Amino acid sequence: MNAVSASEPVRSAESALRAAPPHAVVDTARNLLAERAGARDVTLWLADYALRVLQPVTRLPYTGEPLSAHDGPAGQAFSGQTPVVEPGEDGTAIVHLPVTVRGDRLGVLSVRVSADETVPAGVLRLADFATALGHEVVTAERDTDLYLLARRSRRLTLAAEMQWQLLPGRGCARQEFVIGAHLEPAYAVGGDNFDWSTDGDHLTLTVTDGMGRGIDASLLTNLTVSALRNARRAGLALADQARLADQAVYAQYGGKVYASTLLLRFDLATGTVQAVDAGSPHLYRLRGETVERVALDAQLPLGMFEETAYEEQIFTVRPGDRLVVVSTGVHEARSPEGGVFGEQALRQTLGTARSQDPNEAARAVVAGLVEHFGSSDLTADAAVICLDWHGRPPAQD
């Protein structure tokens, strides 16, 4: 950046972003980039809930056209998670930078600068700035609706509003693993949910499919996920987490409705996985070129009966393995002619998307489902979670 030496720490920019009012973080970023890199145009584009378009953070109502989240320079930066330089004709270039926080892809920062700034070192400094901006946007979202509104290409149903607020994000990345997840129909989802939590030794991942439709399903899923979190944060074993959530749902609904849930707990050091299959989400493993269903003993969904006892099963993941969890809305979806999306189509889609990163692979499954169904307006919720396991490198002596 022209006005600042290459050695100046990024934290000075982070301090300025942190000091900005929540609604003014992007304006502050725009001023910083103008001062430090001579930037003329700076736009923060956020991915919408369906991951189909990028929309600018701007004053509402926005009357312009969104960008594709997968095509064009900005879309390529988002889907490929790498900076893309778009040359101009006036000695400038637009640098499109992925904005991602700990594996959760938020959007793209587009910055018009002098072509001289697009050398690798300059692009790297801009990429560091985009990451810092992403962290501040995530923090600022607690105090303003500005960034949440930029994610919406249309209004959410109340059920979808509740579900999106319940999610931990749409991705998570650590040395040992990378997670990508997707929900459809994004603007009307009611009962499907995914959740995760990681610490120094373990990753706990759950996928829940609440019975019913709309607000009723969303209320059921909210209770289930909150009960699972409460039990997990109390330090209980995985089977006991399922048991306490089962009791909470049964106490509220008396067995009239229930929530199908898959619970997984990974040992980050060994790859040993504890599992409780309480219902219908299906788990697949891609190892090398082989796609196989992980056989788990199907146990009762949460809340179906009082005092259900759950048992854990054990399997192991290896570095290079990919695990994919799909909800009922995926593996039982039917086309208008009545054909089930089914295991064969799912296996084919998973195999085709093997080389893609987890976020794009999860989206590819949903895209295949939408094509099979014939419309993006799915009649049942569909959740897809893709986890790539890298494992922990051996400790150095």
Side-chain angles (χ1 to χ4, degrees), residues 44-190:
L44 175 62
W45 305 84
L46 295 181
D48 82 317
Y49 287 104
L51 294 179
R52 294 190 180 95
V53 297
L54 299 169
Q55 302 197 131
V57 176
T58 185
R59 296 180 182 274
L60 297 175
Y62 173 62
T63 57
E65 288 294 324
L67 302 179
S68 168
H70 308 286
D71 299 318
Q76 292 169 13
F78 179 74
S79 60
Q81 288 295 284
T82 187
V84 173
V85 178
E86 182 182 2
E89 298 179 353
D90 55 355
T92 68
I94 302 177
V95 185
H96 303 280
L97 306 139
V99 179
T100 301
V101 177
R102 299 186 185 278
D104 189 8
R105 304 184 303 172
L106 304 183
V108 171
L109 179 66
S110 296
V111 184
R112 181 183 292 276
V113 294
S114 167
D116 295 338
E117 290 288 339
T118 62
V119 297
V123 173
L124 179 60
R125 288 193 293 273
L126 289 171
D128 288 341
F129 185 92
T131 298
L133 175 61
H135 281 269
E136 294 309 316
V137 166
V138 169
T139 302
E141 282 184 337
R142 299 180 303 181
D143 301 308
T144 177
D145 288 338
L146 177 65
Y147 309 103
L148 293 175
L149 291 173
R151 300 174 191 266
R152 304 177 182 204
S153 61
R154 62 181 188 271
R155 184 175 178 178
L156 271 69
T157 64
L158 177 56
E161 186 86 52
M162 295 171 65
Q163 288 301 86
W164 283 107
Q165 292 299 310
L166 192 64
L167 295 176
R170 287 187 293 201
C172 180
R174 278 190 50 166
Q175 180 186 44
E176 299 88 352
F177 64 85
V178 179
I179 297 173
H182 195 44
L183 274 180
E184 284 285 348
Y187 291 86
V189 62

Side-chain angles (χ1 to χ4, degrees), residues 1 3 10 21 40 47 62 69 74-75 88 95 106 147 163 172 213 227 230 283 301 311 320 322-323 360 376:
M1 296 185 182
V10 174
R40 302 184 194 175
Y62 173 62
V95 185
L106 304 183
Y147 309 103
Q163 288 301 86
C172 180
R213 301 286 297 275
N230 179 258
L283 173 63
E311 296 182 359
R322 167 170 287 181
L323 297 182
E360 288 300 300
S376 59

Side-chain angles (χ1 to χ4, degrees), residues 186-219:
Y187 291 86
V189 62
D192 279 11
N193 178 274
F194 47 81
D195 192 31
W196 55 72
S197 178
T198 182
D199 57 28
D201 300 312
H202 297 94
L203 163 69
T204 301
L205 171 68
T206 62
V207 182
T208 299
D209 183 352
M211 178 180 174
R213 301 286 297 275
I215 192 70
D216 290 335
S218 184
L219 288 168

